[in-house]
Amino acid sequence: EKIEVIYQSTNRKKININKKEKIIIFDVGGNKGEFVEFFLKLLKKNNIKNYKIFYFEPITSLFNQVKEKNYKNTIEYNFALGDKNETKLFYEIKDSNEKKENNDGPFRGKSSFLKINKSNQSEKLKMSKNYKKIYTIDSFCKKNKIKKIHVLKIDTQAYNINVLKGAKKYLNNNMVDAIYTELTIGRRYEKNETFFALEEKLKKNYELFGIDVGTMQVQLVSRILNRNLNLDVLYLKKNIIDKILR
Protein backbone atom coordinates (compact mmCIF):
# COMPACT_ATOMS: atom_id res chain seq x y z
CA GLU A 1 0.00 0.00 0.00
CA LYS A 2 2.84 2.39 0.79
CA ILE A 3 4.38 1.98 -2.66
CA GLU A 4 0.99 2.72 -4.18
CA VAL A 5 0.68 5.90 -2.10
CA ILE A 6 4.08 7.00 -3.39
CA TYR A 7 3.03 6.16 -6.94
CA GLN A 8 -0.16 8.18 -6.58
CA SER A 9 1.67 11.14 -5.05
CA THR A 10 4.18 11.22 -7.89
CA ASN A 11 1.33 11.09 -10.39
CA ARG A 12 -0.27 14.09 -8.74
CA LYS A 13 3.04 15.86 -9.31
CA LYS A 14 2.68 14.96 -13.00
CA ILE A 15 5.47 12.43 -13.21
CA ASN A 16 3.88 10.36 -15.93
CA ILE A 17 4.92 6.89 -17.00
CA ASN A 18 5.59 6.55 -20.71
CA LYS A 19 3.23 3.69 -21.53
CA LYS A 20 5.12 3.01 -24.77
CA GLU A 21 8.18 2.11 -22.72
CA LYS A 22 8.27 -1.40 -21.29
CA ILE A 23 8.28 -1.27 -17.47
CA ILE A 24 10.99 -3.56 -16.04
CA ILE A 25 10.61 -4.77 -12.45
CA PHE A 26 13.17 -6.86 -10.52
CA ASP A 27 11.94 -8.83 -7.48
CA VAL A 28 15.14 -10.01 -5.78
CA GLY A 29 14.45 -12.45 -2.95
CA GLY A 30 10.92 -13.00 -4.21
CA ASN A 31 9.73 -15.45 -1.54
CA LYS A 32 6.20 -16.70 -2.39
CA GLY A 33 5.50 -13.97 -4.95
CA GLU A 34 3.87 -11.43 -2.65
CA PHE A 35 5.60 -8.49 -4.33
CA VAL A 36 4.84 -9.85 -7.80
CA GLU A 37 1.14 -10.05 -6.91
CA PHE A 38 1.18 -6.53 -5.51
CA PHE A 39 2.73 -5.07 -8.62
CA LEU A 40 0.45 -6.99 -10.97
CA LYS A 41 -2.52 -5.41 -9.19
CA LEU A 42 -0.92 -1.96 -9.32
CA LEU A 43 -0.08 -2.24 -13.01
CA LYS A 44 -3.60 -3.43 -13.84
CA LYS A 45 -5.16 -0.64 -11.78
CA ASN A 46 -3.19 1.95 -13.74
CA ASN A 47 -3.84 0.25 -17.10
CA ILE A 48 -0.17 -0.47 -17.74
CA LYS A 49 0.10 -3.48 -20.04
CA ASN A 50 3.64 -3.15 -21.37
CA TYR A 51 5.78 -4.61 -18.59
CA LYS A 52 7.94 -7.54 -17.54
CA ILE A 53 8.69 -8.80 -14.03
CA PHE A 54 11.88 -10.71 -13.23
CA TYR A 55 11.57 -12.86 -10.09
CA PHE A 56 14.71 -14.21 -8.36
CA GLU A 57 14.57 -16.79 -5.56
CA PRO A 58 17.37 -19.26 -4.63
CA ILE A 59 15.16 -21.46 -2.43
CA THR A 60 13.87 -24.11 -4.83
CA SER A 61 10.65 -24.93 -2.96
CA LEU A 62 9.58 -21.27 -3.00
CA PHE A 63 10.64 -20.86 -6.62
CA ASN A 64 8.49 -23.88 -7.59
CA GLN A 65 5.45 -22.46 -5.78
CA VAL A 66 5.71 -19.22 -7.76
CA LYS A 67 6.48 -20.99 -11.04
CA GLU A 68 3.26 -23.00 -10.70
CA LYS A 69 1.19 -19.81 -10.33
CA ASN A 70 2.12 -18.79 -13.88
CA TYR A 71 2.03 -15.04 -13.24
CA LYS A 72 1.43 -12.88 -16.30
CA ASN A 73 4.54 -11.37 -17.96
CA THR A 74 6.76 -12.79 -15.20
CA ILE A 75 9.96 -14.77 -15.64
CA GLU A 76 11.18 -16.80 -12.67
CA TYR A 77 14.82 -17.60 -11.90
CA ASN A 78 16.01 -20.13 -9.32
CA PHE A 79 19.23 -18.36 -8.40
CA ALA A 80 20.36 -15.36 -6.36
CA LEU A 81 21.77 -11.94 -7.22
CA GLY A 82 24.83 -10.58 -5.46
CA ASP A 83 28.14 -8.74 -5.78
CA LYS A 84 29.91 -11.30 -8.00
CA ASN A 85 29.20 -14.26 -10.26
CA GLU A 86 29.92 -17.29 -8.10
CA THR A 87 28.57 -20.36 -6.34
CA LYS A 88 28.22 -19.80 -2.60
CA LEU A 89 27.04 -21.65 0.49
CA PHE A 90 23.45 -20.75 1.42
CA TYR A 91 21.84 -21.42 4.81
CA GLU A 92 18.21 -22.56 4.43
CA ILE A 93 16.48 -22.24 7.76
CA LYS A 94 13.29 -23.63 9.26
CA ASP A 95 11.85 -22.19 12.44
CA SER A 96 11.08 -24.96 14.96
CA ASN A 97 8.67 -22.63 16.77
CA GLU A 98 6.30 -22.44 13.81
CA LYS A 99 3.33 -24.76 13.53
CA LYS A 100 3.99 -27.82 11.40
CA GLU A 101 1.32 -27.00 8.82
CA ASN A 102 2.94 -23.59 8.22
CA ASN A 103 6.48 -24.90 8.09
CA ASP A 104 6.64 -27.15 5.06
CA GLY A 105 9.74 -25.51 3.63
CA PRO A 106 12.64 -23.16 4.38
CA PHE A 107 11.67 -19.93 6.09
CA ARG A 108 12.62 -17.11 3.69
CA GLY A 109 12.59 -14.56 6.50
CA LYS A 110 15.74 -16.08 8.00
CA SER A 111 17.47 -18.02 5.21
CA SER A 112 20.58 -16.19 4.01
CA PHE A 113 24.07 -16.40 2.60
CA LEU A 114 25.21 -15.23 6.04
CA LYS A 115 25.45 -17.38 9.14
CA ILE A 116 23.14 -16.75 12.08
CA ASN A 117 24.92 -14.83 14.85
CA LYS A 118 26.23 -17.27 17.47
CA SER A 119 24.75 -15.14 20.24
CA ASN A 120 21.22 -16.07 19.11
CA GLN A 121 21.19 -19.30 21.08
CA SER A 122 17.58 -18.97 22.24
CA GLU A 123 16.16 -19.55 18.75
CA LYS A 124 15.18 -23.06 17.74
CA LEU A 125 16.27 -23.28 14.13
CA LYS A 126 16.65 -26.18 11.74
CA MET A 127 19.28 -25.41 9.15
CA SER A 128 20.43 -27.07 5.94
CA LYS A 129 23.35 -25.94 3.79
CA ASN A 130 23.26 -25.84 0.02
CA TYR A 131 25.40 -24.21 -2.63
CA LYS A 132 23.55 -21.64 -4.76
CA LYS A 133 24.39 -19.83 -7.98
CA ILE A 134 24.80 -16.06 -7.76
CA TYR A 135 24.94 -13.55 -10.61
CA THR A 136 25.36 -9.78 -10.60
CA ILE A 137 22.64 -7.48 -11.88
CA ASP A 138 25.14 -5.97 -14.31
CA SER A 139 26.02 -9.35 -15.86
CA PHE A 140 22.40 -10.56 -15.91
CA CYS A 141 21.18 -7.40 -17.62
CA LYS A 142 24.00 -7.50 -20.17
CA LYS A 143 23.19 -11.12 -21.05
CA ASN A 144 19.45 -10.41 -21.30
CA LYS A 145 19.86 -7.04 -23.05
CA ILE A 146 18.04 -5.09 -20.33
CA LYS A 147 18.84 -1.40 -20.69
CA LYS A 148 16.90 -0.06 -17.72
CA ILE A 149 15.25 -1.21 -14.47
CA HIS A 150 12.27 0.85 -13.37
CA VAL A 151 11.77 -0.78 -9.95
CA LEU A 152 14.40 -2.80 -8.10
CA LYS A 153 13.01 -4.51 -5.01
CA ILE A 154 15.48 -6.35 -2.74
CA ASP A 155 14.76 -8.55 0.29
CA THR A 156 17.69 -10.90 0.83
CA GLN A 157 18.34 -11.08 4.59
CA ALA A 158 21.50 -9.04 5.17
CA TYR A 159 22.68 -9.58 1.57
CA ASN A 160 20.89 -6.51 0.22
CA ILE A 161 23.93 -4.26 -0.15
CA ASN A 162 25.77 -7.11 -1.89
CA VAL A 163 23.01 -7.08 -4.50
CA LEU A 164 23.54 -3.35 -5.02
CA LYS A 165 27.30 -3.84 -5.35
CA GLY A 166 26.57 -6.13 -8.28
CA ALA A 167 24.62 -3.32 -9.98
CA LYS A 168 27.54 -0.87 -10.05
CA LYS A 169 27.22 -0.01 -13.75
CA TYR A 170 23.45 0.40 -13.62
CA LEU A 171 23.51 2.56 -10.48
CA ASN A 172 26.40 4.75 -11.64
CA ASN A 173 24.70 5.37 -14.99
CA ASN A 174 21.20 6.13 -13.67
CA MET A 175 19.80 2.95 -15.21
CA VAL A 176 17.61 2.15 -12.18
CA ASP A 177 14.72 4.47 -11.31
CA ALA A 178 13.54 3.24 -7.90
CA ILE A 179 15.12 0.99 -5.27
CA TYR A 180 12.92 -0.51 -2.57
CA THR A 181 15.18 -2.51 -0.32
CA GLU A 182 15.27 -4.14 3.06
CA LEU A 183 18.08 -3.06 5.37
CA THR A 184 19.05 -5.64 8.00
CA ILE A 185 20.40 -3.53 10.84
CA GLY A 186 19.68 -5.97 13.67
CA ARG A 187 22.24 -8.51 14.86
CA ARG A 188 20.59 -11.70 13.64
CA TYR A 189 23.47 -12.55 11.31
CA GLU A 190 27.25 -12.61 11.65
CA LYS A 191 27.29 -9.29 9.79
CA ASN A 192 24.63 -6.59 9.87
CA GLU A 193 23.95 -3.79 7.38
CA THR A 194 24.19 -0.04 8.02
CA PHE A 195 22.70 3.11 6.54
CA PHE A 196 26.27 4.35 6.05
CA ALA A 197 27.10 1.43 3.75
CA LEU A 198 23.80 1.85 1.88
CA GLU A 199 24.34 5.58 1.38
CA GLU A 200 27.89 4.94 0.16
CA LYS A 201 26.44 2.86 -2.66
CA LEU A 202 23.57 5.18 -3.57
CA LYS A 203 24.48 8.78 -2.65
CA LYS A 204 25.90 9.69 -6.07
CA ASN A 205 22.63 9.48 -8.00
CA TYR A 206 19.94 8.56 -5.46
CA GLU A 207 18.21 10.10 -2.48
CA LEU A 208 16.24 8.53 0.35
CA PHE A 209 12.53 9.09 -0.36
CA GLY A 210 11.00 7.30 2.60
CA ILE A 211 11.24 4.61 5.25
CA ASP A 212 8.60 1.91 5.66
CA VAL A 213 8.21 1.73 9.44
CA GLY A 214 5.08 -0.40 9.34
CA THR A 215 3.05 2.24 11.18
CA MET A 216 2.52 5.98 11.07
CA GLN A 217 3.13 6.22 14.82
CA VAL A 218 6.58 7.33 15.92
CA GLN A 219 8.39 4.54 17.73
CA LEU A 220 11.98 4.04 18.83
CA VAL A 221 13.22 0.48 18.30
CA SER A 222 16.69 -0.52 19.45
CA ARG A 223 18.85 -2.39 16.93
CA ILE A 224 20.87 -3.65 19.89
CA LEU A 225 17.92 -5.17 21.75
CA ASN A 226 15.98 -6.30 18.67
CA ARG A 227 18.15 -8.71 16.67
CA ASN A 228 15.34 -9.19 14.12
CA LEU A 229 15.20 -5.51 13.20
CA ASN A 230 14.79 -4.83 9.48
CA LEU A 231 13.79 -1.64 7.71
CA ASP A 232 12.38 -1.25 4.21
CA VAL A 233 13.61 1.91 2.48
CA LEU A 234 12.83 3.53 -0.87
CA TYR A 235 15.44 5.43 -2.90
CA LEU A 236 14.63 7.37 -6.06
CA LYS A 237 16.80 9.01 -8.68
CA LYS A 238 17.55 12.61 -7.70
CA ASN A 239 15.92 14.05 -10.81
CA ILE A 240 12.69 12.22 -9.92
CA ILE A 241 12.82 13.74 -6.40
CA ASP A 242 13.28 17.18 -8.00
CA LYS A 243 10.15 16.68 -10.15
CA ILE A 244 8.12 15.65 -7.09
CA LEU A 245 9.17 18.82 -5.23
CA ARG A 246 8.30 21.22 -8.07
Side-chain angles (χ1 to χ4, degrees):
E1 293 179 0
K2 295 178 179 64
I3 298 178
E4 185 168 4
V5 169
I6 293 167
Y7 177 88
Q8 291 172 346
S9 67
T10 56
N11 259 357
R12 287 199 294 271
K13 293 293 184 178
K14 296 184 179 180
I15 298 178
N16 297 315
I17 292 176
N18 180 3
K19 294 188 178 182
K20 292 182 179 179
E21 181 181 14
K22 179 174 284 188
I23 303 300
I24 302 297
I25 300 166
F26 273 33
D27 184 3
V28 184
N31 198 22
K32 297 179 181 179
E34 298 92 339
F35 189 82
V36 172
E37 291 181 358
F38 162 78
F39 243 96
L40 287 173
K41 291 178 182 178
L42 183 60
L43 291 163
K44 183 178 180 180
K45 181 177 180 180
N46 290 279
N47 196 30
I48 298 172
K49 300 178 181 179
N50 190 15
Y51 66 88
K52 184 171 286 187
I53 300 175
F54 295 83
Y55 162 97
F56 304 89
E57 177 53 62
I59 297 178
T60 303
S61 60
L62 297 176
F63 163 82
N64 288 336
Q65 288 181 43
V66 172
K67 187 76 174 177
E68 290 174 359
K69 294 178 182 178
N70 196 28
Y71 290 124
K72 186 178 180 180
N73 293 352
T74 301
I75 304 176
E76 302 87 359
Y77 295 92
N78 187 204
F79 55 75
L81 297 179
D83 56 330
K84 61 180 71 173
N85 296 333
E86 61 179 335
T87 299
K88 189 171 183 176
L89 193 62
F90 185 75
Y91 302 91
E92 294 189 5
I93 294 173
K94 286 187 178 183
D95 191 339
S96 299
N97 293 318
E98 288 193 350
K99 294 181 180 179
K100 186 175 181 180
E101 60 267 24
N102 296 325
N103 196 22
D104 56 353
F107 183 44
R108 191 64 181 91
K110 295 176 183 176
S111 300
S112 176
F113 284 104
L114 299 179
K115 291 181 180 179
I116 294 289
N117 193 318
K118 292 181 180 179
S119 64
N120 298 336
Q121 299 295 331
S122 60
E123 293 186 284
K124 297 180 180 180
L125 302 173
K126 294 180 180 179
M127 181 175 64
S128 61
K129 302 176 184 179
N130 299 284
Y131 281 93
K132 300 291 183 178
K133 286 280 189 181
I134 302 176
Y135 298 95
T136 66
I137 285 178
D138 285 344
S139 65
F140 177 86
C141 289
K142 181 179 180 179
K143 180 180 179 180
N144 291 276
K145 298 181 180 180
I146 298 171
K147 296 181 179 180
K148 181 178 181 179
I149 301 171
H150 294 83
V151 179
L152 171 58
K153 169 264 180 182
I154 311 171
D155 186 351
T156 55
Q157 301 306 307
Y159 212 68
N160 308 294
I161 294 175
N162 293 70
V163 175
L164 293 172
K165 287 179 179 178
K168 182 177 180 180
K169 174 185 175 182
Y170 274 63
L171 296 177
N172 288 344
N173 291 283
N174 274 317
M175 298 163 75
V176 181
D177 279 352
I179 301 159
Y180 185 76
T181 180
E182 179 186 68
L183 189 65
T184 304
I185 62 176
R187 295 185 173 185
R188 170 177 295 282
Y189 302 98
E190 59 184 359
K191 182 180 179 181
N192 60 278
E193 297 175 317
T194 66
F195 265 107
F196 177 79
L198 183 63
E199 285 283 336
E200 281 295 300
K201 295 305 302 177
L202 299 179
K203 66 182 180 181
K204 178 182 177 182
N205 295 322
Y206 298 87
E207 187 174 341
L208 179 63
F209 183 87
I211 300 175
D212 184 352
V213 296
T215 174
M216 296 305 294
Q217 298 177 352
V218 177
Q219 296 184 19
L220 177 63
V221 182
S222 170
R223 61 172 289 271
I224 303 299
L225 299 177
N226 187 350
R227 61 175 177 268
N228 300 322
L229 186 59
N230 296 308
L231 295 175
D232 292 320
V233 295
L234 175 67
Y235 280 76
L236 298 178
K237 286 198 301 189
K238 290 182 178 179
N239 67 331
I240 295 179
I241 297 280
D242 291 341
K243 291 178 182 179
I244 293 173
L245 296 177
R246 284 178 185 172

